[in-house]
Structures are given as structure tokens and as C-alpha cells.
Amino acid sequence: VRFLHEELWDDARSLYSVADALINPTTLDTFCLIGLEAMSMRLPVITTQYAGISELLTHGENAFILESPSDPAPIAEACLKLLEPDVRLRMAENARQFAVSRSWEEPALLHLRRYGALRNRKSVELAGVPQGVDAAV
């Protein structure tokens, strides 16, 4: 295990490209964007049930999800499993497929469609207001 300091890399992609896995034993992380970024670079992720992303992951398929961030034994067990080439390669590919299916574009387009539908509905409602009547929008 080598711990790299921030000044040794210029962006996350250069760090992820030399890593074998991401270990993120978080006690609280509302989503865990770092996990999704790592997964997009085909890195198996070891995280905890306290990472919001864990609700979307499948333990042993695209990540290892630990119950407790303070217990080193499950972290070590997950690392040992990732030493097996077939496990590491399978999880790396599953992680990549998961990350690719979660683009920023998808929720952005959904929001735009919803705003458009609300705007159109409001326009239809205002079209039915008689002349000379003020309508608060």
C-alpha cells in the first residue's frame, strides 16, 4: 500500500489510473462522488453502508459494502479478494458499467423536461384567463 499526497498528482484521473482499488471507509457521505469517479475508471470500490451510493451498489458485484468503517478486518478481507485477478477484473468491469449508466446528463435532461412540462402547464392555465384579469404566476 502506498499513500500518495495531493501534491503528487494533478487531477483525480491520474491518481485513479495508477490505483488498483478505492478504499473509502466513510462514516458519512451523502453520495460518495469519489466512489463513482473511481468506478468510471474501472476501479473496484470498498466503501461502507454510510456512503449514499451504497444504496445503488451490489455487494460483491460492483463494490464491497462494509457495515462498519472502524473494523479493519472486513477491509482486509475485501482487499484479499481483490488480489484474485478474476474477482478484480469482474468487479472493475461491473463498476465501470455502473458508473457509465449514471451520467450527469440523464438527471439534467430529466429536470429540463420537468421544468418544461411545468412551464407549458402554466402557459395553458394562463391562456384560459379572461382579458383584463391579472394572474399571479
Side-chain angles (χ1 to χ4, degrees):
V1 174
R2 281 183 35 198
F3 294 95
L4 303 177
H5 297 280
E6 185 175 344
E7 63 270 7
L8 300 179
W9 46 278
D10 56 354
D11 77 20
R13 290 173 295 191
S14 62
L15 182 61
Y16 294 145
S17 69
V18 297
D20 296 310
L22 172 74
I23 302 172
N24 182 38
T26 185
T27 57
L28 177 62
D29 193 338
T30 55
F31 181 73
C32 188
L33 185 57
I34 189 174
L36 190 61
E37 290 172 344
M39 294 173 85
S40 74
M41 297 287 293
R42 288 188 172 84
L43 283 181
V45 170
I46 301 169
T47 192
T48 68
Q49 64 180 344
Y50 303 106
I53 196 173
S54 69
E55 296 175 6
L56 304 173
L57 301 174
T58 304
H59 179 76
E61 289 298 316
N62 53 17
F64 287 112
I65 305 165
L66 311 175
E67 289 184 25
S68 172
S70 61
D71 186 359
I75 296 172
E77 290 172 21
C79 289
L80 287 173
K81 287 180 185 175
L82 290 175
L83 289 177
E84 300 173 30
D86 59 324
V87 172
R88 185 177 60 254
L89 293 173
R90 177 181 51 81
M91 288 190 69
E93 188 53 40
N94 290 344
R96 169 76 174 157
Q97 289 176 8
F98 173 83
V100 167
S101 72
R102 303 302 192 281
S103 74
W104 287 110
E105 184 179 14
E106 182 181 331
L109 290 174
L110 177 63
H111 278 81
L112 288 173
R113 283 193 298 273
R114 288 188 178 162
Y115 288 136
L118 288 171
R119 186 188 69 228
N120 291 341
R121 188 176 79 196
K122 193 54 132 174
S123 296
V124 168
E125 290 172 5
L126 290 177
V129 176
Q131 290 288 358
V133 176
D134 291 332
V137 177

